[in-house]
Amino acid sequence: MFPASRYSCQARRCVRLLQKIKTEHATPQLYTTLHRRACSTVSTPRITTHYTIHPRDKDPRWEGVEMERFADEADVVIVGGGPAGLAAAIRLKQLANKHEKELRVCVVEKAPQIGAHTLSGACLEPSALTELIPDWKERGAPLNTPVTEDVFSILTEKYRIPVPMMPGLPMQNHGNYIVRMGNLVRWLGEQAEEVGVELYPGYAAAEVLFHEDGSVKGIATNDVGIAKDGSPKDIFERGMELHAKVTLFGEGCHGHLAKQLYKKFNLRENCEPQTYAIGLKELWMIDEKKWRPGRVEHSVGWPLDRNTYGGSFLYHLNEGEPLVALGFVVGLDYTNPYLSPFREFQRWKHHPFVAPTLEGGQRIAYGARALNEGGFQSIPKLTFPGGLLIGCSPGFMNVPKIKGTHTAMKSGMLAAEAIFPKLTAETLDSETAGLHVPEYAENLKNSWVWKELYAVRNIRPSFHNYFGLYGGMIYTGIFYWIFRGKEPWTLKHCGTDANQLKPAKECTPIEYPKPDGKISFDLLSSVALSGTNHEGDQPPHLTLKDDSIPVARNLGIYDGPEQRFCPAGVYEYVPLDTGDGMRLQINAQNCVHCKTCDIKDPSQNINWVVPEGGGGPAYNGM
Amino acid sequence: MSGRVLVGVKRVIDYAVKIRVKPDNTGVVTDGVKHSMNPFCEIAVEEAVKLKEKKLIKEVVAVSCGPQQSQETIRTALAMGADRGIHVDVSGKDYENLGPLQVSKILAALAKQEDAQLILLGKQAIDDDCNQTGQMTAALLDWPQGTFASEVSLEGDKINLVREIDGGLEHIKINTPAVITADLRLNTPRYATLPNIMDSLMNNETELHKPNHRTSLCVGLIPLFETVAPEDMQGGTDRSGAMLRHTVLQSGLGLHTRSLVVFSIGIGKNKTKLGTV
């Protein structure tokens, strides 16, 4: 029986002494390195100079600068000239011309020309296009490649397991067309101009305007002529205000104005958070002997592990030259911060099933964009006073089919059909100054879009199990192929993508092979191929809410995942000029507007805002 | 003095886009590629608009030679402050053969037609880097020229110019009417903002001209160049000037002007400088 109190008292004193010694001698180095690493906050160089973070009304450099904006009135303003926005515009003008009503429809688009920021696989289901423009073939729509062969594989490091493509499986592509989406969007733009839509490419919608009663009044385009440090240049000019009775927001996946609207109108309170994936794509001119026009190849498996959602596509186009569109999609709910979607893509191209197609070929284009994977569970409230959300912005992508264009276009058309009677009614039937059109959501619920998304709602969440990919495929086989998605339960997602990253010390770095320059390439030469450029002397449009968090948190805990997930090399951690420690360098000119950083930043500190219009990638038929 | 300025604007492939050679090696891919106004032409337009704002000239007319899409370039110039636009419609095969000589002939004819006091051009285009149009236009009109201008000021009916030359800066004084080509440091071009673009779209201020024998713009669009792929040339053969002259005359390119052209073909180490044709 020990004299407990005496022994433990002594022991406690010893331990306390030891602890004191430890903290004073053994760990001071470790402590100060961590401290210094975290403490480069004390002298963090200023990174963010954008006026959304540092308001101009308190900035002395902006005193006396004319901030009045020129304003114009339209009936409908559509933000975003992609498939959804253009389908809505065309449908509105078709209805207006049919009923002989005057309707001013304006589309603002940040790309310098319509189609320049469009990137998609793509295998298009022509259902929505046929509903919009039934004679699209006669009008020369660029749907030149009907799908002839459909191949699905599970890849291992050296081998390939073929999976039979049975009718009824979501990946089956009979009746669809392989398209170069940028060319299709350009053609839609031409059709829109023919029916009288006003298209304004090169002008980005930077701000949502509100009436006094809180409803949406319209948008304002970006200001131009602000220097990199946030001060006004001689050529500074305010953006223009476009007022409308109703504004449609079709910014595509994770739009920055939609992000503001979700907060303002609480549109996401009754739905799951949206989950995303990043898609990287290249166009290759291959050897004619290897070219099989109309062939569609999809794969899952290698190089991703079974718990990381993703896969590849390779489509042989038939537009007169031996062109293939290939790419890789990685779900952004991946957990390993050392994963680099770009390098997984480059690695995949070396697989023995893929490399032979590319040997002797030449890469002619590269690009990347985030896409929605939330499906049915993540659809927010779609209407609010003065506006509606259309297309991939709320997110109508059919994930197992990897098609979202047909649903996006249909949502645009439904929006137009819901708005039109309200716009042209004799009396303005609205409580708010901006029109509220809840009929749009009703129409959508009654359409094939809703039924399609409901049937596939459980496929993506079914991947969140121990067997990962294989569990998901079994689930799809049983509940989709046999039971057509009629099971009574709805599976949930895991939460936001940003919260899925594990700290770096719990994960192992991935050894990626070096690019060989013939089939796989390095990041910077790929970025050059995207043709992206921005006016250099403007505030970086990748704004940080807090400049000190990247080094303190992102680098400290997660080893800087943004330097790996950005497909354009925008984020770099470079050593400080003086002393120890690192700082974040943002190469905003490289940005390809994919929005992955805004989605995946574990601290949700990065806020992507729109740069000066006309900047960004210069995709040609991607 | 009519106070009218002609500004030439050219639609070129955007400077940030990666160029790709066509599979048949006859040129570069332009279909669907992002185009924009030549940066030096933007500087020229800005200078013209500045002169108008200082009330030293009365009217700015933007001219572009090219296919239908050149109208977008003219519209940008109108949005920057030009008053009128003239689109000289040249498309298809004619457009491929359009070079500085033809453009300068068109500009000279237009200058006489519009009674222009000043022609402002960019010093060169970023797609062909010829640096010839301004000089040729001045010679055809027999007007003084101020090229590589980095400062322009009007003094009565004379122009004070600062030129950027190899040796530094040269100050000259020339009479009007004259041709000036803009260099990089002349000014910083303003943005073409949306209200101005909307205005220029509404007010269709662009005239269309088609150069043929019926109009005063009678310009012969004869092909002066033929593009040959390097593989067609055998390495190691004699590449003397005489041989080249012979080949050119044989192919019937029919050179109508006595032009001083110096060829220099490099095939690996065999970089031969071949005299004049």
Side-chain angles (χ1 to χ4, degrees), chain A residues 70 72 104 112-113 186 200 203 221 224-225 235 237 240 242 285 321 364 528-529 531 533 535 612 614 618 620, chain B residues 14-18 20 23 29 31-35 46 188-198 201-202:
Chain A
F70 191 80
D72 203 1
R104 185 170 180 211
Q113 49 199 56
R186 193 161 25 128
Y200 296 113
Y203 296 97
T221 58
V224 291
I235 43 175
E237 283 215 42
M240 177 174 161
L242 272 173
M285 199 72 95
E321 24 180 40
I364 61 170
L529 266 186
N533 194 33
E535 160 64 45
E612 276 177 19
N620 181 9
Chain B
D14 188 82
Y15 72 91
V17 168
K18 214 153 170 91
R20 197 162 56 93
V29 176
D31 204 27
V33 176
K34 177 179 172 191
H35 283 70
E46 174 66 18
T188 312
R190 66 194 63 192
Y191 289 86
T193 51
L194 186 56
N196 296 330
I197 286 272
M198 281 181 164
L201 268 169
M202 300 293 178

Side-chain angles (χ1 to χ4, degrees), chain A residues 330-525:
Chain A
V330 178
L332 283 177
D333 57 351
Y334 66 81
T335 52
N336 186 347
Y338 292 106
L339 193 140
S340 161
F342 174 77
R343 301 191 80 172
E344 298 288 353
F345 175 34
Q346 300 302 320
R347 189 157 62 147
W348 163 77
K349 282 190 281 180
H350 282 288
H351 189 274
F353 185 61
V354 183
T357 313
L358 301 178
E359 255 144 39
Q362 199 206 2
R363 184 174 73 149
I364 61 170
Y366 163 83
R369 182 74 170 90
L371 43 133
N372 301 299
E373 298 231 315
F376 186 79
Q377 293 91 322
S378 304
I379 300 178
K381 191 155 170 290
L382 296 165
T383 63
F384 43 89
L388 294 80
L389 297 169
I390 56 175
C392 274
S393 185
F396 299 114
M397 192 169 115
N398 183 328
V399 180
K401 260 198 204 174
I402 39 170
K403 290 179 177 56
T405 313
H406 62 308
T407 47
M409 286 176 71
K410 182 66 178 170
S411 72
M413 288 154 62
L414 288 169
E417 284 155 15
I419 301 171
F420 184 73
K422 288 210 142 174
L423 276 176
T424 50
E426 289 300 314
T427 48
L428 207 62
D429 166 36
S430 182
E431 293 164 354
T432 50
L435 277 181
H436 190 186
V437 192
E439 290 81 359
Y440 161 57
E442 286 307 311
N443 294 356
L444 203 68
K445 288 202 178 87
N446 296 331
S447 71
W448 53 258
V449 172
W450 210 257
K451 290 190 198 52
E452 193 177 314
L453 291 178
Y454 186 77
V456 298
R457 72 195 180 288
N458 284 327
I459 297 185
R460 176 69 176 92
S462 71
F463 282 69
H464 300 306
N465 63 71
Y466 178 71
F467 295 105
L469 169 71
Y470 305 106
M473 289 181 75
I474 296 171
Y475 185 95
T476 310
I478 302 173
F479 289 101
Y480 182 75
W481 193 48
I482 301 177
F483 292 116
R484 313 310 291 168
K486 290 197 172 61
E487 67 269 29
W489 58 82
T490 300
L491 298 174
K492 284 193 175 342
H493 298 301
C494 290
T496 62
D497 289 332
N499 288 338
Q500 304 305 315
L501 273 183
K502 293 207 186 97
K505 58 184 193 301
E506 291 174 28
C507 305
T508 42
I510 305 179
E511 275 294 313
Y512 288 107
K514 260 184 134 58
D516 71 348
K518 292 201 207 60
I519 294 186
S520 55
F521 300 89
D522 66 305
L523 187 61
L524 289 178
S525 62

Side-chain angles (χ1 to χ4, degrees), chain A residues 305-325:
Chain A
D305 65 19
R306 66 168 195 270
N307 288 101
T308 306
Y309 184 81
S312 74
F313 63 88
L314 199 152
Y315 304 145
H316 292 246
L317 286 153
N318 188 4
E319 307 211 339
E321 24 180 40
L323 206 59
V324 293

Side-chain angles (χ1 to χ4, degrees), chain A residues 39 83 94 174 183 195 266 346 362 368 432 497 499 506 619:
Chain A
C39 253
Q94 280 176 345
H174 182 72
N183 290 347
V195 285
N266 265 332
Q346 300 302 320
Q362 199 206 2
T432 50
D497 289 332
N499 288 338
E506 291 174 28
Y619 297 141

Side-chain angles (χ1 to χ4, degrees), chain B:
Chain B
M1 185 142 139
S2 71
R4 191 170 293 132
V5 173
L6 274 187
V7 184
V9 293
K10 185 176 180 186
R11 178 177 179 262
V12 297
I13 295 182
D14 188 82
Y15 72 91
V17 168
K18 214 153 170 91
I19 310 282
R20 197 162 56 93
V21 178
K22 278 201 266 209
D24 58 5
N25 287 330
T26 55
V28 295
V29 176
T30 52
D31 204 27
V33 176
K34 177 179 172 191
H35 283 70
S36 46
M37 195 194 290
N38 182 34
F40 296 108
C41 298
E42 283 179 1
I43 298 174
V45 173
E46 174 66 18
E47 194 58 28
V49 173
K50 273 201 164 76
L51 288 173
K52 190 176 89 160
E53 284 170 352
K54 287 189 209 149
K55 303 225 191 320
L56 294 167
I57 54 157
K58 295 206 195 73
E59 196 187 14
V60 177
V61 182
V63 181
S64 190
C65 307
Q68 170 72 14
Q69 294 97 321
S70 298
Q71 296 210 359
E72 286 166 23
T73 315
I74 298 179
R75 220 172 289 140
T76 312
L78 291 172
M80 284 171 75
D83 299 294
R84 265 197 303 134
I86 297 180
H87 171 215
V88 180
D89 193 7
V90 182
S91 35
K93 204 84 184 85
D94 285 342
Y95 182 58
E96 283 169 36
N97 296 323
L98 191 69
L101 184 56
Q102 291 88 347
V103 173
S104 52
K105 286 185 179 174
I106 292 173
L107 286 176
L110 276 172
K112 289 209 193 84
Q113 202 178 297
E114 298 281 331
D115 190 22
Q117 217 52 38
L118 193 61
I119 299 183
L120 267 167
L121 304 169
K123 71 169 178 181
Q124 65 196 57
I126 59 169
D127 52 2
D128 54 19
D129 281 327
C130 280
N131 194 341
Q132 296 168 4
T133 310
Q135 292 86 334
M136 285 180 174
T137 314
L140 287 167
L141 288 165
D142 203 22
W143 285 5
Q145 55 182 267
T147 51
F148 312 104
S150 66
E151 248 179 76
V152 171
S153 52
L154 264 61
E155 223 180 83
D157 60 345
K158 299 218 193 299
I159 306 177
N160 287 326
L161 254 153
V162 178
R163 301 181 60 221
E164 287 194 14
I165 58 173
D166 290 339
L169 295 173
E170 186 187 38
H171 297 251
I172 59 169
K173 198 171 197 156
I174 56 176
N175 295 327
T176 51
V179 174
I180 299 179
T181 67
D183 205 329
L184 191 63
R185 279 160 280 272
L186 184 55
N187 58 48
T188 312
R190 66 194 63 192
Y191 289 86
T193 51
L194 186 56
N196 296 330
I197 286 272
M198 281 181 164
D199 272 337
S200 63
L201 268 169
M202 300 293 178
N203 304 325
N204 228 345
E205 294 272 12
T206 311
E207 297 165 35
L208 196 60
H209 286 239
K210 273 185 161 5
N212 56 45
H213 64 278
R214 281 192 286 274
T215 68
S216 57
L217 289 177
C218 182
V219 178
L221 288 163
I222 309 147
L224 287 177
F225 295 97
E226 188 190 321
T227 313
V228 189
E231 295 88 66
D232 295 354
M233 299 180 195
Q234 271 86 55
T237 17
D238 183 41
R239 295 258 152 233
S240 68
M243 174 104 183
L244 184 66
R245 218 174 292 137
H246 178 71
T247 325
V248 164
L249 289 170
Q250 262 215 322
S251 65
L253 284 177
L255 298 168
H256 286 259
T257 53
R258 227 176 294 139
S259 45
L260 208 71
V261 184
V262 177
F263 286 91
S264 182
I265 304 174
I267 307 165
K269 296 194 196 99
N270 296 342
K271 229 184 161 91
T272 352
K273 197 153 183 200
L274 308 159
T276 53
V277 176

Side-chain angles (χ1 to χ4, degrees), chain A residues 17-18 32 168 180 197 216 229 326 349 385 447 475 528 588:
Chain A
L17 202 61
L18 273 167
T32 47
R180 292 176 70 172
V197 175
V216 170
D229 61 4
L326 63 145
K349 282 190 281 180
S447 71
Y475 185 95

